Amino acid sequence: MSKVRPTIGTDGRPLPVLPPERDARVWAKLVRVMFYTPGFLAMLLLKAGEPESFGITVELLMLSSAAAIVGGLFIGTQQSGEGADPSSKIGVWSGSLVLELLAVVPLLCAIPALFHQLAHSRLLHAITPATLDTSLGASELLPMVAILPFMLYQLGGFGTLDYIVSKPVNWVINLGILVLIVSGYVANREGAYGVEKKLSGFLVLAMAITVFYGVLKLKRMQATFDAQCPVKPPK
């Protein structure tokens, strides 16, 4: 059973609302999944050898894989016992923020275009005189459905970002993620790869800035909480 945190500091002001304690072992397992899965998909695309349409998708997948390692570094610093400082106390929260925004978001951005590219690759599907060019139709949009539970995760109060920014800002950030992912996919379908790269680049830049701000905000909130937290009475 989790302990109830104090809400009022020694100065009489409300204490920062920090995210709940999270199991570092679960996030460490997610690091392994997020490292191997996008990395394998990127290698599959490189093997296919169609750089014009696969280029930005490979880059997004490699970013997702590399960001998982960085998230693991943050998670590995978690320490809440004796000798812990504000940085080590926010290790899991910071790592989860990196995974959510720099690993999961690029993966969600890459997957819809990845499915479309693999389904229509002329190198992966040999063309013969008897081959029928069958359109998958609306079923090509199925991989994009994964964005919806991610939005629920973020806007339903499960995500780390919900504790860092206000709810209106959280909505703006996540709606921006949705719009950029959908716009990038449409650009890929239309062969506008330059536009797709610009949209994906802007998305990644926005996520990097948000992560940078979020980690510093978490550290500042933890330092304020520790400085103003009432002293526990002796047992």
Side-chain angles (χ1 to χ4, degrees), residues 130-193:
T131 301
L132 296 177
D133 189 7
T134 304
S135 176
L136 298 178
S139 64
E140 284 195 27
L141 300 177
L142 289 179
M144 191 174 287
V145 176
I147 301 174
L148 298 181
F150 176 77
M151 298 293 292
L152 178 61
Y153 171 84
Q154 290 284 36
L155 300 176
F158 299 94
T160 310
L161 192 61
D162 189 56
Y163 296 89
I164 299 171
V165 298
S166 63
K167 289 191 179 299
V169 174
N170 193 22
W171 272 85
V172 169
I173 291 175
N174 284 282
L175 289 177
I177 291 173
L178 178 62
V179 170
L180 288 171
I181 290 178
V182 173
S183 300
Y185 174 68
V186 172
N188 180 272
R189 288 290 300 267
E190 295 180 351
Y193 303 121

Side-chain angles (χ1 to χ4, degrees), residues 2-215:
S2 60
K3 299 179 181 179
V4 178
R5 289 183 182 144
T7 57
I8 303 298
T10 55
D11 58 355
R13 298 179 180 179
L15 290 170
V17 180
L18 296 171
E21 297 294 336
R22 292 174 171 172
D23 193 341
R25 295 170 297 179
V26 175
W27 288 95
K29 293 177 180 178
L30 181 60
V31 167
R32 292 197 292 269
V33 174
M34 291 304 301
F35 172 70
Y36 286 111
T37 302
F40 170 77
L41 293 175
M43 292 177 61
L44 177 62
L45 292 186
L46 291 174
K47 182 70 173 177
E50 295 180 19
E52 183 180 18
S53 59
F54 287 173
I56 189 62
T57 304
V58 173
E59 294 166 4
L60 288 171
L61 291 172
M62 294 306 296
L63 169 62
S64 179
S65 181
I69 298 300
V70 178
L73 292 177
F74 279 102
I75 295 170
T77 64
Q78 179 67 29
Q79 173 64 32
S80 58
E82 295 182 1
D85 58 11
S87 295
S88 61
K89 291 180 180 179
I90 65 168
V92 174
W93 299 332
S94 299
S96 66
L97 193 62
V98 173
L99 289 172
E100 290 166 5
L101 300 184
L102 283 179
V104 175
V105 169
L107 180 63
L108 291 175
C109 186
I111 286 298
L114 167 67
F115 180 78
H116 173 71
Q117 293 158 5
L118 292 179
H120 297 276
S121 172
R122 297 307 183 189
L123 294 180
L124 296 179
H125 306 282
I127 302 298
T128 64
T131 301
L132 296 177
D133 189 7
T134 304
S135 176
L136 298 178
S139 64
E140 284 195 27
L141 300 177
L142 289 179
M144 191 174 287
V145 176
I147 301 174
L148 298 181
F150 176 77
M151 298 293 292
L152 178 61
Y153 171 84
Q154 290 284 36
L155 300 176
F158 299 94
T160 310
L161 192 61
D162 189 56
Y163 296 89
I164 299 171
V165 298
S166 63
K167 289 191 179 299
V169 174
N170 193 22
W171 272 85
V172 169
I173 291 175
N174 284 282
L175 289 177
I177 291 173
L178 178 62
V179 170
L180 288 171
I181 290 178
V182 173
S183 300
Y185 174 68
V186 172
N188 180 272
R189 288 290 300 267
E190 295 180 351
Y193 303 121
V195 175
E196 181 192 13
K197 289 183 179 181
K198 290 180 181 179
L199 291 172
S200 300
F202 181 77
L203 175 62
V204 170
L205 178 62
M207 294 301 97
I209 293 174
T210 304
V211 167
F212 192 86
Y213 168 80
V215 171

Side-chain angles (χ1 to χ4, degrees), residues 5-11 15 223-232:
R5 289 183 182 144
T7 57
I8 303 298
T10 55
D11 58 355
L15 290 170
T224 301
F225 187 92
D226 291 343
Q228 302 298 333
C229 183
V231 179
K232 295 180 181 180

